[in-house]
Amino acid sequence: MEPSFFAANTGFEVFGVLLVILAVVILWSTVKIVPQGMNYTVENFGRYTRTLTPGLHILIPVMERIGHRMNMKEQVLDIPSQDVITRDNAMVRVNGVTFFQILNAARAAYEVDALEPSIVNLTMTNIRTVMGSMDLDELLSNRDQINARLLQVLDQATEAWGIKVTRIEIKDIDPPRDLVDAMARQMKAEREKRAQILDAEGSRAAEILRAEGEKQAVMLEAEGRKEAAFRDAEARERSAEAEARATQMVSDAIANGNVQAINYFVANNYVKALESLAKAPNQKVILMPLEASSVIGSLAGLAQITGEAFGSGSGAPAPSTPPRGSVPRA
């Protein structure tokens, strides 16, 4: 009796332990805690029923289970390097990164199989499509435009999967070595061309400025000559006016019977004529009275002729003029 009793008790203890373990398992499968940044999909006998957001949730034992655990945070995928042929038949090697975020856990879990590889393959395909439609120069200088076009295409393509492609960045564009050397030579030639153009433009500007300066100098010189000629003409005009006034005054004095005026006028002109003859560079011999008395005698003779012509009433005999070349006595 006693051995069988102990055997029965042992069987009940084992059964109790199994019940406790089953209860723990059922409780563990029923109570679910969803961490922040995650969403769980719930399946009822393999069919999607709802999505669990962060927090504590109770599932129906046996009937419901967790289908997919989806990360709702923004994620990044490396895009492997691949060869791309541009529109001008240049081959380059390109890689990049893609940033995406799941917005609908159910669609991301059940609308596409292998979400991340699908995004990678879709990105690589569109990189070949977009970059293959551009020339090499555009490819190297318009990365922002390439990123924007890729983002637009991928965002439209992945909208049905319940994800949002936030950014696409092309990391490296590696042309072949010979193409890089050719581009370096082209850049050097272009820089030398710009330097020569700038040098020529500088020389042209300098020549223009020099010509403008010479033009201004000629204009200023012409203005100076014009002003000097005007001043000389004005001086000659004033001199002529002064001489005309002097002649008029002498004429008036002669008309009034003043013989001394004409004596002065004739003597002044006579002395000026002698001065001009003396200054002439081509004169070697000058015939002229050497004694002052001869000059005075000549003037006196001229005065006597003038007095007789105007009928001077003085009646005084004119002084006798000694012969030319004679020496007056002391």
Side-chain angles (χ1 to χ4, degrees):
M1 295 293 292
E2 291 182 358
S4 61
F5 177 76
F6 283 117
N9 288 338
T10 304
F12 280 115
E13 290 178 357
V14 172
F15 182 72
V17 171
L18 292 176
L19 287 178
V20 171
I21 293 175
L22 180 61
V24 171
V25 170
I26 293 174
L27 182 63
W28 177 259
S29 62
T30 302
V31 178
K32 295 295 180 181
I33 299 176
V34 181
Q36 185 67 37
M38 300 291 292
N39 279 359
Y40 292 174
T41 61
V42 178
E43 298 177 354
N44 188 351
F45 293 111
R47 182 174 64 86
Y48 168 76
T49 56
R50 68 182 188 276
T51 300
L52 302 182
T53 57
L56 179 64
H57 300 273
I58 304 296
L59 301 181
I60 300 176
V62 180
M63 297 179 59
E64 293 183 336
R65 68 181 183 88
I66 299 299
H68 294 82
R69 292 173 172 82
M70 307 303 295
N71 187 353
M72 307 300 290
K73 294 178 288 185
E74 186 174 4
Q75 304 174 63
V76 59
L77 292 175
D78 285 327
I79 307 301
S81 298
Q82 61 177 330
D83 294 330
V84 176
I85 300 177
T86 63
R87 186 171 58 186
D88 53 352
N89 297 324
M91 181 176 291
V92 295
R93 193 161 187 82
V94 182
N95 61 5
V97 291
T98 299
F99 296 84
F100 73 97
Q101 184 177 11
I102 297 176
L103 301 180
N104 190 317
R107 294 169 65 182
Y110 300 107
E111 293 292 337
V112 60
D113 188 19
L115 178 62
E116 292 186 359
S118 300
I119 295 175
V120 170
N121 290 325
L122 183 62
T123 303
M124 293 178 66
T125 302
N126 283 278
I127 285 177
R128 288 194 298 269
T129 302
V130 172
M131 300 182 70
S133 64
M134 303 175 68
D135 293 333
L136 179 60
D137 292 337
E138 296 176 347
L139 206 66
L140 297 176
S141 59
N142 296 325
R143 290 199 181 190
D144 292 340
Q145 181 180 353
I146 297 172
N147 295 336
R149 291 177 60 182
L150 288 172
L151 178 61
Q152 181 180 4
V153 173
L154 285 178
D155 193 28
Q156 292 177 355
T158 57
E159 184 178 2
W161 299 347
I163 66 174
K164 171 71 175 177
V165 178
T166 56
R167 287 194 306 275
I168 296 179
E169 298 291 339
I170 299 298
K171 292 195 299 184
D172 298 321
I173 300 178
D174 298 327
R177 185 61 189 176
D178 55 348
L179 187 58
V180 173
D181 294 339
M183 293 172 61
R185 291 193 299 270
Q186 179 183 0
M187 182 62 66
K188 182 179 179 181
E190 187 68 24
R191 292 181 183 276
E192 290 178 353
K193 175 184 175 182
R194 288 201 296 265
Q196 292 175 359
I197 291 174
L198 292 176
D199 191 13
E201 289 179 352
S203 300
R204 176 174 174 268
E207 290 295 334
I208 291 175
L209 292 176
R210 188 179 298 109
E212 288 290 337
E214 293 176 356
K215 176 182 176 182
Q216 293 292 333
V218 170
M219 292 176 62
L220 292 176
E221 185 179 359
E223 289 289 338
R225 289 197 302 269
K226 178 182 176 182
E227 184 68 21
F230 176 77
R231 297 295 183 186
D232 292 340
E234 186 178 2
R236 289 194 299 270
E237 181 181 359
R238 292 184 180 179
S239 177
E241 290 178 356
E243 187 174 357
R245 285 197 300 270
T247 304
Q248 184 64 36
M249 293 176 64
V250 171
S251 299
D252 293 341
I254 294 172
N256 293 330
N258 189 355
V259 182
Q260 297 298 327
I262 194 170
N263 289 340
Y264 171 77
F265 183 74
V266 173
N268 188 26
N269 289 337
Y270 183 76
V271 172
K272 287 182 179 180
L274 293 178
E275 182 179 358
S276 298
L277 290 174
K279 289 182 178 180
N282 57 353
Q283 286 296 113
K284 302 301 181 181
V285 179
I286 300 176
L287 298 177
M288 57 180 293
L290 299 178
E291 296 84 357
S293 60
S294 299
V295 178
I296 295 173
S298 299
L299 294 178
L302 290 174
Q304 182 178 1
I305 294 172
T306 304
E308 293 176 355
F310 284 96
S312 176
S314 60
S320 60
T321 303
R324 182 181 297 270
S326 62
V327 179
R329 296 179 182 179

